[in-house]
Amino acid sequence: MNLVLCVSIFVVCIGALSEGALRPDIVQVGAVFSFNTINGKVARIAMKAAEDDVNSDPRILGGSKLSILIHDSNFNEFLGIIGALKFLETDTVAIIGPQTAVMAHVLSHLANEFHVPLLSFTALDPTLSPLQFPYFVQTAPNDQFQMTAIADMISYFGWGVVVAVFSDDDQSRNGITALADQLAERHCKISYKAVLPPDPTAKPSEVKDQLVRIQMMEARVIVVHTFNRTGLLVLDEAQKLGMMESGYVWIATTWLSTVLDSAPSSKTANSTIGVLTLRPHTPDSERKRAFMARWNKLSNGSIGLNPYGLYAYDTVWMIAHAVNLFLDQGRNISFSNNTRLSRMRGGALNLGALSIFDGGNQLLNNILQTNMTGLTGPIRFYPDRSPLHPSYDILNVYETGYRQIGYWSNYSGLSVVTPETLYTKPPNRSSSSQILDCVVWPGGTTKKPRGWVFPENGRQLRVGVPNRVSYQELVSRVNGTDKVQGYCIDVFLAAINLLPYAVPYRFIPFGDGHKNPSYYELVNMVSLNVFDAAVGDIAIVTNRTKLVDFTQPYIESGLVVVAPVKKLNSSAWEFLQPFTPLMWGVIAAFFLTVGIVVWILEHRINDEFQGPLRKQIVTILWFSLSTMFFAHRENTMSTLGRIVLLIWLFVVLVINSSYVASLTSMLTVQQLSSPITDIDTLVTSNKPIGFQVGSFAENYLTEELNIPKSRLVALGSPEEYAVALERGTVAAVVDERLYIELFLSDNCKFSVRGQEFTKSGWGFALPRDSPLATDISTAILALSENGELQNIHDKWLSRKACGSQVTGLASAQLQLQSFWGLFLICGIACFLALLLYFCLMIRQFRQRFPEEPNASMNGSSRFTRLQTFLSFADKKEDVRKRMSKRKRRDMLSNDNGKRIFNL
């Protein structure tokens, strides 16, 4: 036993000694950055501080020392690749960097080949997929989250169109693509992409050329996604062009916040005042405050600390913890030759010196499983390698610095509450929960900019209006001039006057003045940019919405049929018209049925329902018919009979009321007759159909209803309508209701047949995605709410209709389907009453005439018993005798009760 214990202790000691012996003296980590950039300078200082802190804590690497070798790429991709190759020659376990996504795409292939994890907090291209580049890890939120934050801001302020200014490199280009996708989800879009040469090669003249183009466009919301040198050049040139004044909105990505944080002592440049920018959010903590207090000493006051310095510090600690775990797992840091490179001989390149990190895959897994708290807060990765709770601070630049107006988090969107507070609550992305503080915009105003202006400042809006020859109440040209008037024009002017900004415009008549123009062609002129808008009686239909955007409808409309009608003379049998023949038949059947049921229920106990057969038949008929007028004189004595009669009298009350109301309507309303009753009879009649020149009715009749064009007759005016209908040239005219109402106000010989068979409205046509469409729609809704829209309608379109004018036939006959519920209830009541009555009758019969036990039930005996039952059923029951028996039984029960009580 002692021998076994000694052997075990010896094995454990040898294992511990061997494990300690395998730990290397130095663990090398490479870093590739440009020292002449803000992020490069900050990262260099932060990584050096992290290296010192790791090495000063023996618990981290267990005696091993961390050595970070930093290579200056000098903002040159080729030099960055050379530096990475040098690291791969010197047994480096991981590389921090590169600084840009362009270099990351190249170095990621090297990382894949040599199994060396590549960690970057500045190359944040969202297309650097872990599937394609498994050894590349982004330790800061990539630009997908930043672009989502910007899209939420644009949606929050209600802008629909933006301009993107970006450098022509992978990270900027792919970031803007992500922004476009996010905007599309929010029904917004990028109207123009201004591409600049890659940073820092952009020249002022190139930037100015792009800004001049932007200045001539509608959109005034500009997103700048580039690096700090090009970004500051863009803002400087914009200020020179007057684009930093009121009306403009500038949103800069995180490059501007790094400039502001890294140069805190300098006065804010005038070209950045009013700009909104984002900054990666890092929660407040004791460790963060302590590190910020050390920063001036670490940097010697050469540069300020920005969040990417915190990410650099945490990235070093992530590698240190991952390496420590790697060594604790009993793994050795070893490298092996790449056999494919070893076979490549010749030349000065020493490719054989590049070696594969044998434990690279395990170290990568350790990095991805990191669960620690750093200067940037909790550090963990989701399965897709996105960081835990990505969030941003939203900053507003002003003269002496910047102020924070809110936060954005992937958890709850925009808020003025810190993301850490919101993480303790359920996520809430509702529009009411999205909020930011007040913003000071370019030009010093706090009023939210509209976000767009009319193109080519000062040019009037070209508004096309139809030059109509009929229905000039809607739109008409005044005395051959370019001045126009009418209902549609007044609605447009009232809406324009409600806009919070001035809209210069001029009306341009469209059409030759001899016939109504094609409204499809008018709308098409807007889509071709010949007109900036089209105003008139323009119906909003499908083929037009494919060309332009429409405002909110300012009046409802729809196609109707108008046809000649003649007056019907009243007939001698007019009183039968309220009910259909089937309805009359059912009423008669129920009168007879209820009379029979009541007779059956009352026959044995009611003298008024007894007597000879002839008298009983007369009684049944008289009783049932007299209930129509509630004049029945026979009393009902049975409970079941009273229930049936009560339900039937309610049915009679409803029938009488409906009959009187329908007959009154038929006798007081003028009756009109026409072979055309609605659009269906018109389609099947094969007769010619009239339509208004220029309206969409022609296309609807041919394309939707499949009516041959040979049946259609074009009519240009209300006068032509009347002539064609009177002469029988057309059987009917199909047009929009508003036109027909104006036509019928002067023509009482015609009438609308049937109901509207389409639903649409009139609106103003504007180019696709025009911001003016939303503002005018809002103004139209305001006009409707304050009653001004109705006043304009009354001014132009209110006419006194003909006294005899009606819009269709009188009310239809009353159908059985309107009353079947009542008849069903009455029928069920009769059935149940009879069923209960016969059950009671059979019970009384068996009590009165019990069956003999030994009697054989042959045919004669059954017939005899049936005769006995019928005689019993027909025999009058002595009610008074039954009542006296009931009283005696009650008295006997009471006496027995008293005796029991006395005992």
Side-chain angles (χ1 to χ4, degrees):
M1 184 67 181
N2 293 333
L3 180 61
V4 173
L5 180 60
C6 292
V7 171
S8 301
I9 294 173
F10 177 76
V11 170
V12 171
C13 293
I14 293 299
L17 291 174
S18 62
E19 183 180 352
L22 293 176
R23 282 184 176 265
D25 294 333
I26 297 177
V27 177
Q28 288 194 159
V29 174
V32 180
F33 280 90
S34 297
F35 295 164
N36 59 343
T37 63
I38 291 177
N39 285 338
K41 295 176 182 178
V42 171
R44 183 181 184 183
I45 299 171
M47 288 188 293
K48 178 61 177 174
E51 178 186 7
D52 294 339
D53 292 345
V54 169
N55 291 332
S56 63
D57 189 348
R59 298 172 301 175
I60 303 303
L61 292 177
S64 298
K65 295 296 182 181
L66 183 67
S67 175
I68 299 180
L69 306 176
I70 303 178
H71 174 76
D72 184 8
S73 64
N74 199 24
F75 222 95
N76 184 285
E77 284 74 16
F78 177 73
L79 294 179
I81 296 171
I82 296 300
L85 290 173
K86 288 184 177 180
F87 293 142
L88 296 175
E89 292 179 347
T90 57
D91 296 343
T92 300
V93 298
I95 298 176
I96 302 176
Q99 190 169 341
T100 63
V102 176
M103 198 183 306
H105 280 277
V106 178
L107 296 187
S108 293
H109 292 287
L110 295 177
N112 292 347
E113 181 68 24
F114 297 102
H115 299 179
V116 177
L118 190 65
L119 292 80
S120 179
F121 47 85
T122 55
L124 304 176
D125 184 352
T127 65
L128 286 166
S129 167
L131 296 177
Q132 183 181 6
F133 307 113
Y135 281 86
F136 181 75
V137 180
Q138 293 170 326
T139 60
N142 67 37
D143 286 342
Q144 179 71 38
F145 301 105
Q146 181 176 201
M147 295 308 166
T148 303
I150 292 176
D152 280 347
M153 290 168 58
I154 291 171
S155 176
Y156 170 78
F157 287 113
W159 301 312
V161 182
V162 302
V163 171
V165 179
F166 60 97
S167 297
D168 192 15
D169 58 67
D170 290 347
Q171 182 159 329
S172 300
R173 187 168 49 248
N174 294 330
I176 293 300
T177 300
L179 175 62
D181 294 340
Q182 293 297 322
L183 289 174
E185 293 181 6
R186 293 156 179 79
H187 306 290
C188 307
K189 72 170 188 176
I190 297 176
S191 62
Y192 180 70
K193 295 180 179 180
V195 184
L196 302 175
D199 192 86
T201 61
K203 300 177 181 179
S205 58
E206 295 170 325
V207 172
K208 183 178 180 179
D209 290 342
Q210 287 290 355
L211 293 178
V212 170
R213 293 182 185 179
I214 296 172
Q215 199 173 24
M216 302 301 293
M217 299 176 183
E218 290 186 358
R220 286 294 181 265
V221 181
I222 305 169
V223 177
V224 183
H225 183 47
T226 180
F227 294 96
N228 60 321
R229 293 181 182 177
T230 301
L232 292 174
L233 179 59
V234 169
L235 297 181
D236 288 341
E237 293 298 322
Q239 184 185 26
K240 295 176 183 178
L241 293 173
M243 298 175 68
M244 300 302 297
E245 302 298 330
S246 298
Y248 283 90
V249 176
W250 290 88
I251 301 176
T253 51
T254 54
W255 64 265
L256 181 56
S257 65
T258 61
V259 174
L260 299 174
D261 287 332
S262 299
S265 59
S266 62
K267 187 177 183 296
T268 304
N270 291 333
S271 59
T272 62
I273 296 176
V275 178
L276 295 178
T277 185
L278 300 179
R279 177 176 62 191
H281 174 73
T282 55
D284 188 29
S285 66
E286 188 64 32
R287 289 189 61 194
K288 177 182 173 181
R289 289 194 295 270
F291 185 78
M292 294 175 65
R294 294 172 53 196
W295 184 256
N296 283 335
K297 182 178 179 181
L298 293 173
S299 64
N300 294 321
S302 60
I303 192 169
L305 175 65
N306 64 50
Y308 293 106
L310 304 178
Y311 280 107
Y313 184 90
D314 284 349
T315 301
V316 173
W317 275 89
M318 288 172 58
I319 295 174
H321 282 291
V323 170
N324 185 58
L325 178 61
F326 179 86
L327 296 175
D328 288 343
Q329 291 168 341
R331 305 296 296 271
N332 294 326
I333 297 178
S334 61
F335 298 83
S336 59
N337 292 331
N338 190 321
T339 56
R340 288 179 292 183
L341 293 178
S342 298
R343 291 193 296 267
M344 298 178 62
R345 300 183 182 278
L349 294 176
N350 187 16
L351 298 178
L354 302 178
S355 55
I356 298 174
F357 180 23
D358 298 327
N361 187 56
Q362 183 61 47
L363 181 62
L364 174 66
N365 290 334
N366 291 348
I367 292 172
L368 296 177
Q369 293 172 8
T370 298
N371 187 356
M372 56 177 278
T373 300
L375 301 182
T376 58
I379 301 174
R380 288 197 297 274
F381 293 98
Y382 289 113
D384 63 352
R385 298 194 184 182
S386 61
L388 179 70
H389 296 320
S391 55
Y392 292 89
D393 301 333
I394 302 176
L395 310 179
N396 182 203
V397 184
Y398 60 96
E399 291 183 358
T400 59
Y402 60 83
R403 65 186 184 91
Q404 190 164 324
I405 62 170
Y407 305 89
W408 178 91
S409 69
N410 196 44
Y411 187 78
S412 294
L414 302 173
S415 175
V416 294
V417 181
T418 59
E420 294 73 43
T421 304
L422 297 176
Y423 296 153
T424 62
K425 304 176 182 178
N428 185 3
R429 298 300 292 266
S430 63
S431 58
S432 60
S433 68
Q434 306 297 294
I435 186 171
L436 293 174
D437 283 338
C438 179
V439 180
V440 177
W441 304 100
T445 179
T446 56
K447 182 180 179 181
K448 186 198 77 173
R450 190 167 73 244
W452 65 277
V453 295
F454 294 105
E456 301 176 15
N457 294 338
R459 183 173 65 81
Q460 292 180 320
L461 200 69
R462 299 163 299 176
V463 181
V465 295
N467 189 11
R468 296 191 59 91
V469 296
S470 61
Y471 297 115
Q472 296 194 352
E473 303 91 336
L474 303 174
V475 182
S476 63
R477 192 172 181 177
V478 179
N479 299 326
T481 65
D482 288 341
K483 184 179 179 181
V484 290
Q485 63 181 9
Y487 168 70
C488 302
I489 301 300
D490 279 6
V491 173
F492 175 75
L493 295 178
I496 288 293
N497 291 334
L498 283 183
L499 298 181
Y501 48 87
V503 179
Y505 63 87
R506 62 187 178 95
F507 294 116
I508 304 175
F510 176 75
D512 57 11
H514 301 293
K515 63 178 181 179
N516 293 333
S518 169
Y519 280 42
Y520 180 84
E521 291 300 325
L522 174 59
V523 170
N524 191 43
M525 299 286 272
V526 176
S527 67
L528 296 176
N529 202 31
V530 176
F531 294 136
D532 299 316
V535 171
D537 48 328
I538 305 172
I540 304 173
V541 293
T542 303
N543 63 342
R544 297 174 185 172
T545 57
K546 295 177 180 178
L547 301 176
V548 297
D549 284 345
F550 280 92
T551 64
Q552 171 80 16
Y554 56 88
I555 192 171
E556 293 184 356
S557 181
L559 292 178
V560 294
V561 177
V562 63
V565 292
K566 59 182 179 179
K567 184 177 180 180
L568 290 177
N569 295 322
S570 299
S571 66
W573 302 99
E574 190 75 19
F575 67 91
L576 295 176
Q577 291 299 318
F579 293 143
T580 61
L582 177 61
M583 182 69 178
W584 281 118
V586 172
I587 292 174
F590 263 84
F591 268 111
L592 183 61
T593 300
V594 171
I596 294 174
V597 170
V598 173
W599 177 83
I600 292 174
L601 298 175
E602 297 288 328
H603 177 63
R604 297 186 70 238
I605 62 175
N606 195 334
D607 293 336
E608 296 180 354
F609 288 88
Q610 292 185 354
L613 178 61
R614 181 178 178 182
K615 178 185 176 183
Q616 294 181 48
I617 293 174
V618 172
T619 300
I620 291 173
L621 295 177
W622 165 253
F623 177 81
S624 59
L625 294 177
S626 62
T627 57
M628 178 183 296
F629 310 103
F630 306 97
H632 52 285
R633 293 177 297 175
E634 294 80 6
N635 295 321
T636 53
M637 301 178 63
S638 68
T639 303
L640 294 176
R642 291 174 178 175
I643 293 174
V644 171
L645 182 60
L646 179 64
I647 296 175
W648 173 243
L649 291 178
F650 176 74
V651 175
V652 170
L653 175 64
V654 175
I655 292 175
N656 281 346
S657 302
S658 302
Y659 175 83
V660 171
S662 180
L663 182 62
T664 302
S665 174
M666 289 182 174
L667 294 177
T668 56
V669 178
Q670 177 178 293
Q671 302 294 298
L672 302 178
S673 174
S674 171
I676 305 300
T677 58
D678 53 23
I679 185 62
D680 294 328
T681 58
L682 180 62
V683 171
T684 58
S685 67
N686 292 322
K687 294 181 180 180
I689 304 171
F691 68 92
Q692 183 183 177
V693 175
S695 77
F696 74 96
E698 179 183 10
N699 288 336
Y700 184 87
L701 293 174
T702 56
E703 296 176 6
E704 301 296 332
L705 301 182
N706 299 317
I707 297 176
K709 287 190 176 182
S710 58
R711 290 183 57 192
L712 303 182
V713 179
L715 303 172
S717 65
E719 292 76 16
E720 292 184 23
Y721 287 10
V723 173
L725 291 171
E726 288 176 351
R727 295 179 178 178
T729 307
V730 295
V733 172
V734 174
D735 207 346
E736 295 181 67
R737 173 171 288 278
L738 190 57
Y739 299 126
I740 295 303
E741 289 176 352
L742 295 174
F743 167 70
L744 293 179
S745 64
D746 297 324
N747 296 272
C748 301
K749 304 175 183 178
F750 314 106
S751 175
V752 172
R753 315 304 292 162
Q755 303 296 321
E756 287 182 347
F757 54 91
T758 66
K759 292 293 183 181
S760 61
W762 291 354
F764 305 133
L766 293 159
R768 284 284 190 193
D769 301 317
S770 172
L772 196 60
T774 302
D775 291 348
I776 293 183
S777 295
T778 304
I780 290 173
L781 291 175
L783 291 173
S784 176
E785 293 171 358
N786 63 24
E788 183 63 22
L789 204 59
Q790 184 62 42
N791 294 336
I792 299 174
H793 179 277
D794 296 342
K795 172 185 175 182
W796 289 98
L797 305 180
S798 290
R799 292 185 179 181
K800 186 177 180 180
C802 297
S804 60
Q805 185 63 49
V806 295
T807 59
L809 292 174
S811 56
Q813 292 177 311
L814 297 176
Q815 305 286 332
L816 176 61
Q817 61 191 19
S818 301
F819 301 92
W820 70 269
L822 285 173
F823 289 126
L824 178 63
I825 293 172
C826 185
I828 292 175
C830 292
F831 174 76
L832 294 178
L834 289 176
L835 180 63
L836 183 59
Y837 175 78
F838 281 117
C839 289
L840 295 174
M841 182 70 65
I842 292 172
R843 179 172 175 272
Q844 293 176 8
F845 176 72
R846 287 181 176 179
Q847 291 176 350
R848 182 73 63 85
F849 302 99
E851 296 182 13
E852 297 180 5
N854 298 325
S856 60
M857 293 298 293
N858 53 28
S860 61
S861 62
R862 290 178 180 174
F863 181 74
T864 301
R865 188 165 179 80
L866 177 62
Q867 286 182 325
T868 304
F869 175 76
L870 294 177
S871 299
F872 174 76
D874 185 59
K875 183 179 180 182
K876 179 182 178 182
E877 182 179 359
D878 191 346
V879 179
R880 286 176 295 180
K881 182 178 180 180
R882 185 175 61 183
M883 292 293 295
S884 62
K885 288 182 178 179
R886 183 178 299 172
K887 289 181 180 180
R888 286 198 300 272
R889 185 167 59 250
D890 293 341
M891 291 174 62
L892 180 60
S893 61
N894 290 335
D895 292 341
N896 292 335
K898 291 179 179 179
R899 291 172 184 173
I900 294 172
F901 178 78
N902 292 330
L903 291 176

